[in-house]
Amino acid sequence: MLSKITSFALCGLDGVPVEVETDINKGMVSYDLVGLPDAAVKESKERVRSAIKNSSLAFPVNKITINLAPADLKKEGSQYDLPLAVSILIAGDQITANTDGIVFLGELALDGALRPVTGILPILISAKAKGFTRFVIPAANANEASYIEGITVYALKSLREVVGILTCETRFAPLTQRSFKAAVGAKKYDCDLSLVRGQKVAKRALEIAVAGGHNILLAGPPGTGKTMLARCIPTIMPDMTFEEALEVTKIHSVAGSLTEEGIVSLRPFRTPHHTSTVVALCGGGNVKVHPGEISMAHKGVLFLDELPEYTRRTLESLRQPLEDRVITVARAGGAVTFPADFILCASMNPCPCGNYGSAYLTCTCTPAQVQKYRSKISGPLLDRIDLQVEVDGVKYDDLAGAADGETSAEVKKRVETARKVQRVRFEGEPNLVNANMGEKQIKKYCRLSAECEDILRTAFETLRLSARARSRIIKVARTIADLDFSEEIKPEHILEATSYRSYEANN
């Protein structure tokens, strides 16, 4: 007898339908699994056999042939255990059920219990787009699946429960959709911008960076608050929309890093260690391609602390994602494209001892040591960082005094206003912010007066800037103008934007 069950494979962040075809006939007892299965899928034979027997069901003692179609697609992971078991039970006349239009996903334990699998959210979203609306998944993946509208999901605990619902012996209620707003309100950030004493210039730069989606570099002696400033960036970023949250959750679901909440409700803040490899940062893997840190930081912040301590090769791998906002990871098994739309925040000491340029500390490094240390960061990478801020020490009275700075909530309101201006400006071009403007948008939305052009020409020649640096200064000036509720870019906006390129010029 022949049976067909629908499951899904995961290719990057996209789900692909997989049909599990099982044929059981008389003949020499055997179990053949074809269709490019990987080791995890091949090993499912013993898991499925034990799960069926321990669920008070009989495993067929016949010639069993199972095909995973399409046959040219590599099948990876353990989510095929449940569809394999259901397919065998139907083909072996153990149960009679109509499974048309139902997608089965789940790993089986030897006792028949259903274990969670990774990538449930992107699979369900892709399956819904392809017309599937009914799903059977493990109970442990229930939270992750409960945020999707327009589908019916049964989150069950065991193979026995799956058989019960297919044969109508047992009734189970489908998942109730959960509220994303409730998930957002349940979590808060641990830091606040008001806790950072002094550093008015750096705080202003953070506000500009977030308002326009610009990358930022904080350079200064150790202990001046660079890391604390960086950790405050998510607190002044606009709240994620539900669509953004789903996009981010898809990535974290594939990576297997989702919490019990089932959705990423706060902006990601990723801080990879300086010993991280190119694969850890960009993504990859020997068998299955996993997203890297730059994709895990999608719609959030990627913070690189002590930037010169990263290897040159690792840092150079950031250049293309910073421009394109996506990264394509190519391996022998194929190429996978992951989103990588993040704000890069980097911090560094200005020299090996950390005190170069400080008004309070004395540098003990030679000019050659300072130059060697700074040259670890290439010019092309530095050119892609819009705001470069020098952060110096703070006086004791500022540290000991009462906190009187603006809170993150106050700054966030101005940022949201500036983002709203950009949404109206770039209507029809979703998710576009000032930092992502191309030359076409710059010419259209960033027209400069003759006075502004003169200031920019002087800065270009004096600081020996590149064409890319000129464009980025204009983008930052556009953001500053938005924060000032100005339709035009004024000379003071160009001057302030140019001042944030001083570190590059000094370097």
Side-chain angles (χ1 to χ4, degrees), residues 2-318:
L2 179 67
S3 71
K4 295 182 179 181
I5 296 294
T6 303
S7 187
F8 261 74
L10 194 60
C11 298
L13 296 180
D14 297 320
V16 180
V18 172
E19 195 167 54
V20 181
E21 302 174 320
T22 300
D23 179 64
I24 299 179
N25 279 310
K26 295 179 180 180
M28 186 177 295
V29 178
S30 63
Y31 185 107
D32 296 314
L33 181 61
V34 297
L36 284 182
D38 72 345
V41 181
K42 290 178 181 178
E43 290 174 352
S44 66
K45 171 184 174 182
E46 301 305 327
R47 292 195 298 271
V48 170
R49 186 195 303 273
S50 296
I52 289 177
K53 289 182 176 180
N54 291 323
S55 299
S56 302
L57 298 163
F59 189 86
V61 186
N62 297 95
K63 179 178 174 61
I64 303 174
T65 304
I66 301 178
N67 177 45
L68 304 177
D72 61 344
L73 176 69
K74 183 76 172 177
K75 314 304 185 303
E76 301 171 336
S78 58
Q79 71 264 29
Y80 302 105
D81 288 8
L82 179 59
L84 284 170
V86 173
S87 183
I88 290 172
L89 290 173
I90 293 176
D93 285 333
Q94 288 285 302
I95 60 174
T96 301
N98 182 11
T99 58
D100 293 343
I102 304 177
V103 176
F104 294 85
L105 300 161
E107 178 185 333
L108 285 172
L110 297 184
D111 62 356
L114 276 175
R115 287 175 172 163
V117 294
T118 60
I120 284 288
L121 186 69
I123 287 177
L124 264 58
I125 292 174
S126 298
K128 180 187 174 185
K130 291 176 172 62
F132 294 93
T133 58
R134 293 192 294 167
F135 302 87
V136 176
I137 65 171
N141 291 117
N143 289 346
E144 185 179 350
S146 60
Y147 290 96
I148 305 176
E149 296 180 345
I151 61 175
T152 302
V153 181
Y154 293 95
L156 307 178
K157 296 180 180 180
S158 67
L159 177 60
R160 187 72 251 182
E161 290 187 357
V162 175
V163 172
I165 200 172
L166 291 176
T167 58
C168 298
E169 294 176 2
T170 313
R171 292 186 177 275
F172 291 94
L175 289 180
T176 303
Q177 188 179 350
R178 304 178 73 191
S179 169
F180 175 67
K181 290 184 178 180
V184 172
K187 300 189 73 174
K188 295 182 179 180
Y189 295 103
D190 295 331
C191 54
D192 192 275
L193 208 56
S194 63
L195 300 177
V196 181
R197 307 300 175 87
Q199 308 300 2
K200 291 184 178 179
V201 174
K203 289 180 181 179
R204 168 67 172 171
L206 289 187
E207 181 179 342
I208 295 170
V210 175
H214 304 283
N215 303 317
I216 183 170
L217 170 69
L218 303 173
T224 53
K226 301 186 295 294
T227 301
M228 191 172 182
L229 283 164
R231 292 189 179 279
C232 288
I233 294 179
T235 67
I236 62 174
M237 296 180 75
D239 293 334
M240 280 199 295
T241 63
F242 180 56
E243 290 73 22
E244 287 179 326
L246 285 181
E247 196 173 344
V248 174
T249 304
K250 285 168 63 176
I251 301 171
H252 288 250
S253 177
V254 171
S257 61
L258 276 184
T259 61
E260 292 183 0
E261 187 182 11
I263 196 167
V264 180
S265 56
L266 295 180
R267 298 271 179 186
F269 183 83
R270 306 294 297 187
T271 58
H273 194 259
H274 64 261
T275 57
S276 298
T277 63
V278 174
V279 173
L281 205 62
C282 298
N286 294 328
V287 180
K288 187 177 180 180
V289 179
H290 292 278
E293 287 292 334
I294 62 175
S295 296
M296 299 288 281
H298 181 59
K299 297 301 180 183
V301 180
L302 178 68
F303 178 47
L304 301 183
D305 199 8
E306 304 300 338
L307 191 65
E309 301 302 327
Y310 291 81
T311 64
R312 184 69 172 256
R313 183 165 172 261
T314 301
L315 292 179
E316 293 307 297
S317 67
L318 289 170

Side-chain angles (χ1 to χ4, degrees), residues 323-338:
E323 291 288 341
D324 300 337
R325 303 293 172 173
V326 296
I327 183 168
T328 300
V329 183
R331 294 293 183 267
V336 177
T337 299
F338 292 113

